[in-house]
Amino acid sequence: MTHSPDPPEHLSLSCPVAFSEHDTVQLAHGGGGRMMRALIEELLLPAFRDRSRPGGLPLPHDSAVVEMAGARIAFTTDSFVVNPLFFPGGDIGKLAVYGTVNDLAMAGAQPVCLSCALILEEGLPLDVLRRVVESMQQAALAASVRIVTGDTKVVDRGKGDGIFVNTAGMGLVPPGIEVHPSRVRVGDQILLSGDIGRHGITIMSQREGLQFAGAPDSDCAPLADLVSQLTRLGADLHCLRDLTRGGLAAALIEIADHVQVGMEVVESAIPVVAPVRGACELLGLDPLYVANEGRLVAFVPAAAAELGLAILRAHPAAPQPAVIGEVVAAHPGEVELRTVLGSGRLLDLPSGEQMPRIC
Amino acid sequence: MKFIDQYRDADAVRQCADAIRRIATRPWHIMEVCGGQTHAIVRFGLDELLPDLITLIHGPGCPVCVTPIEMIDKAIAIARRRDVIFCSYGDMLRVPGSQRDLLTVKSAGGDVRIVYSPLDAVALARQHPEKQVVFFAIGFETTAPANVMAVVQAERLGLQNFSALVSHVLVPPAIRAVLAAPENVVQGFLAAGHVCAVMGTREYEPIVAEFRTPIVVTGFEPLDILQGVYLCVRQLEAGRAVLENQYARVVRPEGNPAAIRQVQQVLHTVSRKWRGIGEIPASGWALRPAYAQFDADLRFQVQHVQADEPAECLAGEVLQGRRKPYDCPAFGARCTPDTPLGAPMVSAEGACAAYYRYRRRRAV
């Protein structure tokens, strides 16, 4: 971000929008859209780049995989700042465990252990903290992972939002498994594990006090066991991505763009439960862009799609699995949606978070 | 989902598109006035389903897009005050003023909040008697009744700390302005169904008669829009110009008389600047002098704020249907949803943002 907020006059109208390229952090920098991506690619990755190694920037993935003593270790970290701390279907503790477990799983790894760092705001009731860490422990049990180390810091009242949680995690990648965006191939089928948009709508309905009839629970769930079943596909399991901020659309667009393949996705094949659809219609949101915390997409060759779908169908963490589209040679870097009416529409990364429309 | 799915039925939509194809013999330019209709057209790819003879032109009916730039600057000036909680509809926050947008004010410490209803702002004013709560009351006739209700409630509750920055705009004067422009190409209109649900349809009859141009009051679902186009093309092909109501399941000729009475009690008609278009006489609503105590413009003394739009932005041409968004040299290059030059690139209902999001490939 090299633009100054007030361009000198001699630049005049050739540079009329410099102020929009913010020189302070905006909420949209964390929204899972283009601004977040620009922050990572233009500021963070260059800063942390390993200059001893030749070549360009690595393809972004949910976990890094490093070799240590002959084993392939997946390693990742994630921070959680959700408000409210408790919501239907989950809480910040559960999210913090499952979020990191899922990032490990997206590299094909079986999670082994997690760290837990807590940033607590002065004045937080200990009872709230107790509920959060108990929930973390239960979530760790459910995901078959141990929390083995941690850290605690307390900040002045008003300088935090109750609790911020960071978890880092390590997992083991089984032999023969290589799950990575770079393995996505033209002809791969795109499998989606379940209905989309629950978490985002749950949080929005809680945060904004919106009441929807039959409001959904968050889909917040661990995906490691589901992924371990999918590893039965062996080398046919090309790529996995869990759907988080930015929703299904952002996950697909990112992979299409990074790997420079095209994707075609069929809108009518994408499951959305009625309460999520209703809320989206009401608020003018597109469910394709709404956040999830327990859904994944898998890229597998056409010959393996049936088996992949059967594995998903047999697993409770994949409630409504479907083949939603495929990877194509045409329009590399772009995801085209076939609408319910049969017309085509290009999906684009949102700028930041979706904003409810006025009418 | 009832009331939605039957208007998105692929077979019914295709049949309607076929019917349009059968009756269209010449090229026609039809403007959909409302941003909600534009959004549906691009989201569902409706223009792809139409015969080449029919060109849809996206009109000035996105309230976020046409809110004048100095109104954004006023909002920013107010929102930066430490004693203010500034409430707005969500998609207003990213619209650039002459220096910055409301989101930037928020990141710099301003208390800027998204509300879903103007009554939420009234509730905030009750909860925070130590703060001034200001609601950014923008929109067409559709949002006016709810916005007015907030002012009426604040009055009833005797709230001293609630005010509204009012920048309402009206559809019929905008249609007139489009038709009266010497270079006008629009031959028929799809009028905005929800505006007419409030105001009724009668104020469009004189326009139809004066300009001999068909106007079809139209809904927002794919089948609504294609039916609206069908009715409009049928008139054009027959050389007729009448007012028709495709959206009769919602719109009555007299509109919603209770809402109209309430609006007229609180607001009066004023001249209004439209972003990208300029001043249109008698095209807006502002608070009546009797409600001056709720007028944020006066309370925070921002009446003097003036601003110019970036000269490079062709929003006005786009909003009047003289250019498609991708005809603008800045489109997709210097002007994107991250770095909008003009408001149509900001709102999801804005023609430029809708084209950028769903049609970028065609543009390059």
Side-chain angles (χ1 to χ4, degrees):
Chain A
M1 305 290 168
T2 53
H3 295 267
S4 65
D6 299 307
E9 271 183 8
H10 65 268
L11 283 179
S12 78
L13 290 171
S14 65
C15 190
V17 289
F19 67 88
S20 291
E21 301 208 356
H22 307 278
D23 55 7
T24 56
V25 172
Q26 307 291 305
L27 270 181
H29 281 124
R34 275 191 303 270
M35 282 179 65
M36 186 174 95
R37 207 174 126 186
L39 186 76
I40 292 172
E41 291 180 358
E42 290 163 24
L43 196 150
L44 299 177
L45 282 182
F48 295 132
R49 188 174 172 189
D50 183 351
R51 289 180 177 76
S52 65
R53 293 182 181 212
L57 295 170
L59 271 183
H61 196 20
D62 286 327
S63 291
V65 176
V66 290
E67 293 217 12
M68 273 198 258
R72 286 187 303 155
I73 309 285
F75 180 44
T76 192
T77 183
D78 208 341
S79 298
F80 298 83
V81 295
V82 66
N83 174 18
L85 298 175
F86 302 90
F87 49 84
D91 55 74
I92 190 169
K94 202 166 155 183
L95 270 187
V97 171
Y98 292 164
T100 293
V101 161
N102 291 350
D103 279 350
L104 292 171
M106 294 311 115
Q110 280 310 297
V112 176
C113 57
L114 301 185
S115 70
C116 163
L118 300 168
I119 297 172
L120 308 173
E121 187 183 5
E122 178 188 26
L124 175 81
L126 280 175
D127 184 51
V128 170
L129 178 59
R130 196 171 291 121
R131 283 170 65 198
V132 169
V133 294
E134 278 170 6
S135 172
M136 289 186 80
Q137 180 59 13
Q138 280 173 15
L141 278 173
S144 306
V145 66
R146 291 185 304 143
I147 298 173
V148 293
T149 184
D151 177 55
T152 309
K153 294 282 185 296
V154 178
V155 295
D156 291 334
R157 187 186 276 270
K159 297 206 169 161
D161 199 3
I163 305 182
F164 296 149
V165 185
N166 171 275
T167 50
M170 298 212 297
L172 267 176
V173 184
I177 296 300
E178 174 100 35
V179 181
H180 196 272
S182 61
R183 296 199 59 230
V184 170
R185 294 287 176 271
V186 170
D188 275 2
Q189 302 293 294
I190 306 169
L191 277 53
L192 170 67
S193 70
D195 63 289
I196 59 167
R198 284 178 187 243
H199 181 72
I201 293 300
T202 307
I203 294 297
M204 199 174 288
S205 68
Q206 295 291 307
R207 186 152 55 197
E208 315 297 349
L210 301 171
Q211 300 299 323
F212 305 119
D217 282 359
S218 167
D219 58 340
C220 173
L223 297 171
D225 190 62
L226 179 63
V227 169
S228 86
Q229 297 299 313
L230 283 171
T231 55
R232 281 163 46 201
L233 295 170
D236 279 344
L237 186 57
H238 285 173
C239 181
L240 294 165
R241 184 59 59 97
D242 60 339
L243 314 180
T244 55
R245 286 167 299 180
L248 174 64
L252 296 180
I253 293 163
E254 260 178 39
I255 293 174
D257 186 47
H258 284 140
V259 191
Q260 283 301 300
V261 291
M263 293 184 197
E264 277 176 12
V265 176
V266 179
E267 189 171 27
S268 57
I270 300 168
V272 183
V273 294
V276 171
R277 235 190 110 191
C280 285
E281 289 293 338
L282 204 63
L283 296 169
L285 304 177
D286 187 338
L288 294 174
Y289 293 90
V290 176
N292 306 269
E293 284 292 343
R295 299 287 181 261
L296 60 76
V297 284
F299 293 80
V300 301
E306 261 318 301
L307 178 57
L309 200 57
I311 292 171
L312 291 175
R313 280 202 187 106
H315 201 283
Q320 253 181 295
V323 177
I324 59 164
E326 68 176 329
V327 179
V328 297
H331 52 82
E334 293 180 339
V335 180
E336 174 143 333
L337 183 80
R338 190 67 28 207
T339 73
V340 286
L341 302 180
S343 49
R345 158 189 149 195
L346 209 58
L347 297 183
D348 186 46
L349 263 193
S351 176
E353 282 180 78
Q354 282 196 103
M355 301 263 188
R357 280 159 52 203
I358 171 171
C359 57
Chain B
M1 210 175 299
K2 209 179 166 194
F3 304 124
I4 290 185
D5 287 337
Q6 66 254 54
Y7 296 100
R8 294 183 187 174
D9 180 79
D11 288 339
V13 165
R14 206 159 284 280
Q15 279 170 24
C16 196
D18 288 345
I20 295 167
R21 194 166 286 114
R22 279 196 299 276
I23 60 169
T25 63
R26 277 175 286 166
W28 299 111
H29 288 78
I30 297 171
M31 174 177 277
E32 86 278 0
V33 170
C34 178
Q37 292 165 334
T38 305
H39 188 80
I41 288 165
V42 285
R43 177 173 169 200
F44 292 99
L46 297 182
D47 46 346
E48 271 188 22
L49 304 176
L50 289 174
D52 292 340
L53 289 171
I54 309 297
T55 305
L56 290 179
I57 295 174
H58 314 307
C62 162
V64 171
C65 300
V66 299
T67 299
I69 192 165
E70 57 261 35
M71 212 39 107
I72 313 283
D73 282 2
K74 287 179 182 190
I76 288 167
I78 295 170
R80 293 175 80 181
R81 294 172 57 116
R82 288 182 168 208
D83 59 338
V84 164
I85 299 175
F86 193 88
C87 303
S88 169
Y89 295 122
D91 45 5
M92 216 49 213
L93 300 192
R94 270 202 283 263
V95 178
S98 58
Q99 297 291 320
R100 53 181 72 80
D101 57 28
L102 282 164
L103 271 186
T104 322
V105 174
K106 182 170 186 282
S107 75
D111 193 345
V112 178
R113 303 193 190 185
I114 295 174
V115 292
Y116 297 89
S117 154
L119 297 180
D120 295 344
V122 175
L124 274 173
R126 294 182 76 181
Q127 286 161 23
H128 297 279
E130 78 288 359
K131 291 274 193 180
Q132 287 290 327
V133 175
V134 183
F135 177 68
F136 201 176
I138 66 147
F140 281 89
E141 294 93 326
T142 331
T143 49
N147 291 351
V148 158
M149 186 55 74
V151 174
V152 170
Q153 282 215 0
E155 186 188 34
R156 272 188 207 144
L157 293 164
L159 292 178
Q160 304 293 313
N161 65 330
F162 175 86
S163 59
L165 184 62
V166 179
S167 185
H168 267 289
V169 278
L170 305 172
V171 168
I175 292 185
R176 265 179 193 283
V178 169
L179 283 170
E183 59 275 52
N184 169 51
V185 295
V186 179
Q187 294 160 299
F189 284 89
L190 309 185
H194 290 154
V195 167
C196 295
V198 174
M199 298 302 294
T201 60
R202 287 173 188 147
E203 54 186 342
Y204 296 89
E205 280 165 6
I207 303 177
V208 169
E210 183 183 338
F211 293 94
R212 291 201 42 78
T213 301
I215 297 181
V216 181
V217 176
T218 303
F220 299 84
E221 292 298 326
L223 196 53
D224 287 323
I225 291 168
L226 290 191
Q227 280 176 349
V229 171
Y230 175 82
L231 293 173
C232 202
V233 171
R234 194 172 64 176
Q235 286 196 45
L236 289 165
E237 288 283 343
R240 291 164 60 228
V242 295
L243 181 70
E244 282 187 280
N245 184 1
Q246 179 277 333
Y247 205 33
R249 70 182 186 279
V250 172
V251 173
R252 287 171 295 169
E254 70 278 16
N256 180 341
I260 295 172
R261 266 196 308 278
Q262 185 82 82
V263 167
Q264 285 174 345
Q265 184 199 323
V266 179
L267 304 176
H268 65 135
T269 305
V270 293
S271 178
R272 176 81 68 209
K273 259 173 103 174
W274 294 52
R275 189 166 188 160
I277 296 175
E279 185 133 350
I280 304 179
S283 69
W285 276 335
L287 286 170
R288 287 184 182 276
Y291 290 86
Q293 54 171 317
F294 297 104
D295 193 338
D297 214 14
L298 303 174
R299 181 172 299 190
F300 299 98
Q301 299 185 333
V302 288
Q303 309 97 304
H304 60 279
V305 172
Q306 290 294 324
D308 290 322
E309 295 164 26
E312 196 182 11
C313 178
L314 300 181
E317 304 274 297
V318 172
L319 293 176
Q320 291 172 83
R322 290 183 213 136
R323 298 213 201 194
K324 287 277 186 186
Y326 47 71
D327 295 332
C328 172
F331 177 81
R334 286 176 307 286
C335 184
T336 70
D338 293 337
T339 56
L341 270 178
M345 189 52 102
V346 176
S347 165
E349 293 173 24
C352 297
Y355 265 72
Y356 185 87
R357 179 176 295 175
Y358 299 134
R359 289 269 171 275
R360 197 171 37 158
R361 192 174 334 136
R362 183 187 293 180
V364 282

